[in-house]
Amino acid sequence: MKYLINYSLATTLLLVLSSAAVAATVKGKVQDAQREPLIGANVVVLNSNKVAPVGLDGSYQLSDLQPGTYTLSVAYVGYQTLTKVVTISEQHENQTLNLTLEQTQNELSEVVVTAQALRGTETEARQLERLSSNTINVVSAKAIALSPDVSVANVVQRVSGLTVERNSNGDPQYAIVRGMDKRYSYTLVNGIKIPSPDNNNRYVPLDIFPAALLDRLEVYKSLTADREGDAIAGGVNMVMKSAPAYRELKADLQVGYNYINLQEGFNQFNTRVIKSESPKELYGAGYQAQVGDFTRKNLEVENVKPLPDVLGAISYGNRYFGNKLGLMLGSSFQNTYRGSKSIWFDAETERFGTNQPALRELQERHYSTQQIRFANHGRLDYRFSPKHSLNLYTGYYNLSNNEAREIKTTMMDGRNYNPAAGNAILSYSTRTRATHQYILNTTLQGEHQLLTPLLLDWSAVYSDAGSQRPDNARFSRNGELRDFVEQPTNVERRSPRQWERNADKDLSGYLNLQLKPANWNGSLVKAGGMYRSKERDNYFNRYRFDPNPGRQVQGEHWNTFSDVQWDLVNPAGSDNNELNYKATENILAYYALSQFNLSNLAINTGLRVEHTLQGYTLKTPKENQTPDSSQTYTDLLPSLSLKYRPNEVMNLRFNYYKAISRPGFFEVVPYVMEEDGYNEVGNANLKRVRSDNFDFRWEFFPTAVDQLLAGAFYKHIQDPIEYAVVREGVNNEPVIKPGNYGTATNLGLELDFCKYFNRIGLKGNYTYTYSRITTTKALRTRENPEDPTSQLTVINVEQNRPLQGQATHIGNLSLLYRDQQHGLDAQLAFVYTGERLETISPFLDNDMYARPITQVDLSVEKRISPKAEVFVKAMNLLNSPYEVYIKKPVYQEEGNTIAYPHQNKMNSQTLIRRDEYFQSVRVGVRVNF
């Protein structure tokens, strides 16, 4: 019996292995006529239970097929169902069978509508990169949905060559393109340039735009003549959702929490009591304000455990009237509670000639910010006929930040500082600030086929952007640490309450005419023009308060801010400040370009001309002050793009373009801002920046979704705008002032790759950037360097350094997994930003650098029904700190052996700032009705 059982088991095992050995496999790819993989389709063996899902690269595999004849069927929305018969012979040979589906076409009475591949896919993104005349990178809506990104600012950090500048909560806010300051790039919505709500600068804060409303994100690395020319670094174009080919209703809802709010709590204040206008605006120009005109409740901060974050988005699109009218409506709402825990050292260059940073004070900061984003956008398109159509877009984007900042400051540069004995002079500051920013853009566009080869398109644009910061308030107190015990505080003088407001209004018109005869083999001639009239209105008013009586001790005279007694130092306010101004900018531009296709070579060459009239008028000029100023200039901006296509899957690109960067309105106004160090002043003579830009890129697209891009760039920049210490005024005092400083160079290498292996995908990029600029720095030294007793003096020296914001090394890596059969998607994303120049010091070799940082995010989605998915997104898994330091040791007087807190490398470098943001987690559901 024992041998019989063993024999039976062996026989059975042999039969199984034999069966597995002879079973055949049918595999291949499912794609359309453009080689786009139809991800999500299923290859079905009819009259059986065998199903093979199509992977990320379009591949499928049917295994364990016995000899016989099988009918395979594959269906996909917008495509004709395909059936194929395959025969497995007795030899059980494996077979490769690629399946190509044809798009469905519906003939209508007046117009033919061809069902298109799904918009927002990775395939569409790769196709745009391949066919574009200029060098671009594209992030698809699908890639955005799979990422943990909330705002457009989060998305851009995943593009090759881009880093981000973060706000006080650690959230990305501004794009740094190829290591160049944010002033050198512009922001577009559907290809139309938009104004900025920023009170000082032109650049647009990208965290105001929710990522959920994007169809795709395009980053221009080079320009052609038909694009506006003030983008030396490049441009960020947000293509918003448009009407789909079929009815579409999508919604998602997320809830989440930030771990820092569990650790540190969340400081909140009453925003409802804040008055949007100052007393002078409410009661007239001659009004003398009273203490009772100012609320006190907005400076009473309470530490709480906040409610969870709530994020939601909904969009609806469809076509009507025989597909002539297309409609897309979208809305997004986000209410999040963000925070950061920070240490910050106030350092100055010591005054005894060593040129080392000396630590004056240590600030321990806790930021708590409620961020409320609200966005609506709508898009209508109407096709009168195949030759005439209109498109109307309106988008309104709003961001409110309610920020409470608590600071405890330890004075470190006096004799009272003795950390061993637990003695120090302390100060405390509470600041509450409500900031409201908005952008409104309305664009009406038309396309008209005048003759068979002649196409005319036009755009009429109204844009409005602004910011309000009403009753920006601060409450300061003085204290003391004695024997390690913090003593009761007393109220500090000069507590400010200020109102700030600005608004930009743009009226723009675009007209383009394109000639493209059918017998020109894709070649074309194009010409057009643009006119924009911009107006900016800026308002600033500040009131200051002193305690009365002067000494009011906490616990003895007051317990909350409402208990403090005040005198108003300046009842009339300070609205005669130079920050009250009106600015205008009129731009007239026109261009001509031609594109010739010679065999495998496409040549795009053109010339753009831009005339600029820019100026300002002070509302309340001071005595002997120039009340207004203006400047006019004309720029000739040539461009050349060469794209050589040696075969179907490869491109070689060369791009040259000349570009400019105009000064900000704020920079040319003769303002004076009082700072702790040197005052900062404006410069009415500031000139625009000009740059010659060169790009080369090799592109390889082995499939419709895979790619390998390798490129290099070089920029020669004339009159770059930098801030430096200069001496001016009656007393020839040093001030920080923007100026044009010589020339700069910026060059680098970029690598971008994407590869899918059925269920697994690998995406990444790397950028190396090198830049150099020479600017004037101050050096405090002895008149006779050999004599330490000689007189100290400040001299100006020239220093070479990188451009501000430029990181030498930038890398992104995303690991993707998609199991279509079980409806599972996952992404693990790494973002690496190398050391970069964070803050420029007016003193030699005292610039501040940000340490390298790696951020890791995770996103997992699971389909729970044909129309619904659930997901989890976790951000900043490593709690990567943001650190800034000076590459010089801390200065200490001879004989001083104080071990300053947090300065772990004080003999070689000086830590200036360390921010922690902790982890964030969100869970949600997405439905597609």
Side-chain angles (χ1 to χ4, degrees):
M1 179 64 69
K2 175 180 177 180
Y3 294 106
L4 180 60
I5 294 175
N6 290 338
Y7 175 79
S8 300
L9 290 175
T11 302
T12 303
L13 179 60
L14 181 62
L15 289 174
V16 171
L17 293 175
S18 175
S19 175
V22 299
T25 297
V26 176
K27 62 182 180 179
K29 290 190 175 183
V30 178
Q31 55 192 14
D32 64 10
Q34 286 73 43
R35 298 188 304 112
E36 176 182 347
L38 302 182
I39 304 169
N42 288 312
V43 180
V44 179
V45 180
L46 297 182
N47 301 317
S48 76
N49 60 354
K50 289 188 175 295
V51 177
V54 176
L56 295 170
D57 57 352
S59 64
Y60 75 94
Q61 179 171 311
L62 291 164
S63 303
D64 299 329
L65 295 176
Q66 300 300 317
T69 299
Y70 301 90
T71 301
L72 309 186
S73 176
V74 58
Y76 199 74
V77 176
Y79 294 82
Q80 301 176 23
T81 300
L82 177 69
T83 58
K84 285 284 186 180
V85 176
V86 60
T87 300
I88 305 298
S89 67
E90 294 291 340
Q91 288 74 29
H92 296 85
E93 295 178 349
N94 295 333
Q95 296 191 29
T96 298
L97 179 64
N98 293 324
L99 304 173
T100 302
L101 274 63
E102 299 292 334
Q103 290 183 331
T104 303
Q105 292 187 346
N106 299 315
E107 295 289 343
L108 302 177
S109 57
E110 296 185 25
V111 61
V112 177
V113 177
T114 302
Q116 58 184 359
L118 291 176
R119 294 176 296 110
T121 63
E122 284 289 271
T123 301
E124 181 193 40
R126 302 293 80 77
Q127 189 83 342
L128 290 169
E129 291 173 339
R130 182 169 56 198
L131 298 179
S132 174
S133 298
N134 57 324
T135 304
I136 68 171
N137 290 93
V138 182
V139 184
S140 69
K142 182 60 179 176
I144 294 171
L146 283 175
S147 75
D149 300 327
V150 173
S151 72
V152 171
N154 295 100
V155 178
V156 299
Q157 66 180 333
R158 307 190 191 279
V159 179
S160 62
L162 270 67
T163 56
V164 292
E165 184 176 296
R166 300 176 183 271
N167 60 21
S168 58
N169 297 304
D171 291 328
Q173 189 171 33
Y174 297 107
I176 305 295
V177 183
R178 287 179 164 175
M180 302 195 67
D181 187 76
K182 46 194 177 292
R183 71 163 63 244
Y184 294 118
S185 58
Y186 58 43
T187 302
L188 311 168
V189 171
N190 301 320
I192 300 296
K193 189 177 177 183
I194 58 174
S196 171
D198 192 279
N199 61 330
N200 295 342
N201 304 288
R202 294 177 179 272
Y203 38 79
V204 177
L206 296 179
D207 58 340
I208 198 172
F209 298 96
L213 298 183
L214 261 64
D215 200 39
R216 65 180 181 271
L217 181 75
E218 301 174 343
V219 178
Y220 303 140
K221 302 291 184 65
S222 65
L223 303 180
T224 49
D226 52 348
R227 301 191 185 277
E228 294 194 47
D230 55 337
I232 293 174
V236 177
N237 182 31
M238 294 170 285
V239 181
M240 314 307 289
K241 288 184 175 181
S242 59
Y246 302 94
R247 178 181 176 274
E248 175 186 287
L249 177 58
K250 295 182 177 181
D252 71 73
L253 179 66
Q254 308 174 43
V255 294
Y257 217 81
N258 297 309
Y259 184 60
I260 190 173
N261 294 330
L262 295 175
Q263 291 287 98
E264 304 293 330
F266 184 87
N267 292 326
Q268 68 177 14
F269 62 100
N270 191 345
T271 60
R272 296 186 299 272
V273 299
I274 295 176
K275 296 180 181 179
S276 61
E277 295 182 312
S278 68
K280 178 161 288 191
E281 294 176 282
L282 291 172
Y283 305 116
Y287 181 72
Q288 299 293 303
Q290 307 294 317
V291 173
D293 294 328
F294 301 85
T295 183
R296 302 186 178 211
K297 295 298 182 182
N298 62 328
L299 271 168
E300 294 185 357
V301 175
E302 180 183 9
N303 189 269
V304 300
K305 291 293 188 292
L307 295 172
D309 298 341
V310 177
L311 305 90
I314 187 170
S315 63
Y316 171 79
N318 206 349
R319 304 204 69 86
Y320 302 92
F321 306 118
N323 284 339
K324 285 188 173 183
L325 176 66
L327 169 69
M328 169 56 71
L329 299 174
S331 184
S332 173
F333 175 78
Q334 300 173 6
N335 183 24
T336 61
Y337 298 90
R338 304 285 289 136
S340 67
K341 183 180 178 181
S342 175
I343 57 171
W344 184 85
F345 287 92
D346 182 10
E348 65 174 11
T349 304
E350 62 79 30
R351 302 177 181 273
F352 302 104
T354 66
N355 202 37
Q356 293 176 236
L359 301 180
R360 298 175 55 193
E361 58 187 42
L362 166 63
Q363 294 187 1
E364 299 170 77
R365 300 179 174 185
H366 180 203
Y367 287 88
S368 297
T369 306
Q370 181 187 16
Q371 295 180 325
I372 304 174
R373 292 184 181 90
F374 181 76
N376 283 324
H377 86 128
R379 206 163 181 174
L380 285 172
D381 65 85
Y382 190 80
R383 302 168 180 169
F384 294 93
S385 71
K387 296 184 177 181
H388 299 280
S389 64
L390 288 178
N391 188 308
L392 175 65
Y393 174 81
T394 297
Y396 178 76
Y397 306 92
N398 185 288
L399 172 62
S400 294
N401 282 328
N402 301 321
E403 178 190 87
R405 184 190 70 180
E406 294 283 5
I407 297 179
K408 184 177 80 171
T409 301
T410 303
M411 306 303 297
M412 308 177 70
D413 61 349
R415 294 183 178 180
N416 292 321
Y417 180 60
N418 188 339
N423 297 329
I425 300 298
L426 304 178
S427 66
Y428 304 82
S429 174
T430 299
R431 187 187 71 185
T432 59
R433 187 168 70 180
T435 304
H436 310 286
Q437 294 181 321
Y438 71 91
I439 296 175
L440 171 66
N441 175 261
T442 299
T443 302
L444 178 63
Q445 297 176 307
E447 287 191 3
H448 310 280
Q449 192 80 49
L450 301 181
L451 300 170
T452 300
L454 193 61
L455 176 67
L456 180 144
D457 69 85
W458 54 270
S459 302
V461 184
Y462 171 78
S463 295
D464 185 8
S467 175
Q468 291 186 347
R469 189 173 286 168
D471 203 356
N472 182 5
R474 188 167 71 241
F475 176 37
S476 300
R477 292 90 68 198
N478 295 319
E480 181 181 4
L481 182 69
R482 190 184 306 155
D483 296 328
F484 299 99
V485 178
E486 295 184 23
Q487 304 300 307
T489 63
N490 62 82
V491 180
E492 176 62 281
R493 300 173 61 246
R494 293 295 190 267
S495 288
R497 307 284 287 269
Q498 64 189 42
W499 277 256
E500 305 167 63
R501 184 174 64 252
N502 63 278
D504 279 21
K505 288 182 171 57
D506 287 8
L507 290 174
S508 307
Y510 300 78
L511 182 66
N512 302 290
L513 195 62
Q514 177 178 292
L515 179 65
K516 190 178 180 180
N519 59 355
W520 280 18
N521 189 32
S523 299
L524 59 88
V525 175
K526 188 177 180 182
M530 179 213 77
Y531 180 77
R532 175 181 298 113
S533 175
K534 175 190 283 287
E535 293 184 355
R536 163 168 286 200
D537 188 280
N538 210 80
Y539 177 80
F540 179 88
N541 194 9
R542 177 193 289 145
Y543 296 87
R544 295 186 183 275
F545 295 80
D546 279 354
N548 185 15
R551 181 173 174 81
Q552 298 184 45
V553 179
Q554 185 178 15
E556 181 178 346
H557 302 100
W558 62 277
N559 291 303
T560 67
F561 179 76
S562 296
D563 300 330
V564 179
Q565 301 301 308
W566 296 99
D567 273 346
L568 183 54
V569 177
N570 57 334
S574 63
D575 61 357
N576 63 339
N577 190 287
E578 293 88 349
L579 294 179
N580 291 284
Y581 66 88
K582 285 183 177 291
T584 59
E585 183 178 82
N586 298 323
I587 299 174
L588 172 63
Y590 42 89
Y591 74 91
L593 66 79
S594 60
Q595 179 171 309
F596 299 96
N597 296 320
L598 305 175
S599 184
N600 292 339
L601 178 64
I603 305 172
N604 185 307
T605 182
L607 176 67
R608 185 178 186 89
V609 182
E610 294 195 355
H611 303 281
T612 305
L613 171 61
Q614 180 183 0
Y616 70 86
T617 300
L618 300 179
K619 296 179 182 178
T620 54
K622 297 176 182 176
E623 188 176 355
N624 300 323
Q625 190 174 48
T626 303
D628 53 37
S629 179
S630 65
Q631 54 178 317
T632 304
Y633 46 88
T634 299
D635 292 286
L636 303 179
L637 307 175
S639 64
L640 172 65
S641 297
L642 304 176
K643 183 174 69 173
Y644 177 66
R645 190 178 184 184
N647 54 52
E648 291 292 323
V649 296
M650 190 180 298
N651 289 331
L652 290 172
R653 294 181 182 271
F654 170 79
N655 296 92
Y656 164 77
Y657 69 99
K658 192 176 186 68
I660 64 172
S661 178
R662 300 181 179 92
F665 295 113
F666 172 75
E667 292 173 317
V668 299
V669 173
Y671 68 91
V672 178
M673 293 184 64
E674 298 178 1
E675 301 291 345
D676 293 335
Y678 297 138
N679 290 342
E680 183 182 320
V681 302
N683 182 359
N685 298 316
L686 204 60
K687 297 183 293 185
R688 85 280 197 192
V689 187
R690 293 160 294 162
S691 178
D692 293 287
N693 309 276
F694 301 85
D695 272 272
F696 175 81
R697 191 161 83 177
W698 171 75
E699 302 175 342
F700 179 54
F701 302 93
T703 70
V705 292
D706 295 339
Q707 69 174 20
L708 178 60
L709 314 177
F713 60 89
Y714 173 80
K715 299 178 183 293
H716 179 73
I717 308 164
Q718 302 171 346
D719 295 321
I721 296 175
E722 296 284 337
Y723 284 75
V725 175
V726 299
R727 291 181 176 272
E728 64 176 32
V730 177
N731 299 321
N732 198 32
E733 295 180 350
V735 295
I736 298 177
K737 185 177 184 178
N740 299 104
Y741 294 97
T743 60
T745 57
N746 185 33
L747 56 93
L749 304 172
E750 291 181 340
L751 178 67
D752 202 315
F753 62 89
C754 179
K755 177 63 180 175
Y756 292 100
F757 307 90
N758 195 264
R759 296 181 182 181
I760 298 174
L762 184 65
K763 297 173 61 178
N765 57 69
Y766 166 76
T767 303
Y768 168 80
T769 308
Y770 172 87
S771 62
R772 275 297 176 267
I773 185 173
T774 301
T775 58
T776 302
K777 292 294 189 78
L779 174 63
R780 188 178 288 114
T781 184
R782 300 287 178 179
E783 289 184 346
N784 181 1
E786 304 298 328
D787 182 4
T789 64
S790 62
Q791 186 70 30
L792 280 167
T793 184
V794 177
I795 62 174
N796 290 333
V797 296
E798 299 295 303
Q799 181 183 32
N800 293 323
R801 59 166 174 80
L803 291 170
Q804 186 176 14
Q806 179 248 308
T808 304
H809 304 282
I810 306 169
N812 289 271
L813 182 65
S814 294
L815 303 176
L816 301 100
Y817 176 81
R818 182 170 191 181
D819 184 344
Q820 180 65 27
Q821 185 174 5
H822 298 95
L824 180 65
D825 286 305
Q827 174 179 276
L828 184 63
F830 301 82
V831 179
Y832 173 80
T833 304
E835 179 185 87
R836 67 186 184 94
L837 179 56
E838 171 71 14
T839 304
I840 300 170
S841 169
F843 288 95
L844 181 69
D845 295 328
N846 274 261
D847 294 333
M848 301 178 187
Y849 288 82
R851 296 191 197 278
I853 185 172
T854 301
Q855 182 166 323
V856 181
D857 303 319
L858 174 66
S859 177
V860 179
E861 297 186 3
K862 180 69 172 68
R863 186 178 66 242
I864 56 175
S865 76
K867 297 182 179 296
E869 300 169 326
V870 294
F871 54 85
V872 178
K873 303 190 178 192
M875 288 71 70
N876 194 23
L877 293 176
L878 303 180
N879 187 27
S880 303
Y882 178 71
E883 295 184 326
V884 177
Y885 71 106
I886 298 174
K887 298 180 178 181
K888 294 182 76 69
V890 177
Y891 170 77
Q892 287 190 310
E893 296 180 10
E894 188 174 348
N896 187 352
T897 58
I898 295 177
Y900 293 106
H902 310 291
Q903 296 292 339
N904 299 324
K905 300 180 180 180
M906 61 183 294
N907 293 325
S908 59
Q909 55 187 237
T910 303
L911 179 68
I912 296 298
R913 175 179 170 185
R914 188 177 195 271
D915 297 344
E916 291 183 277
Y917 311 112
F918 296 86
Q919 296 84 358
S920 298
V921 177
R922 300 196 307 272
V923 296
V925 59
R926 183 183 298 115
V927 292
N928 186 359
F929 298 100

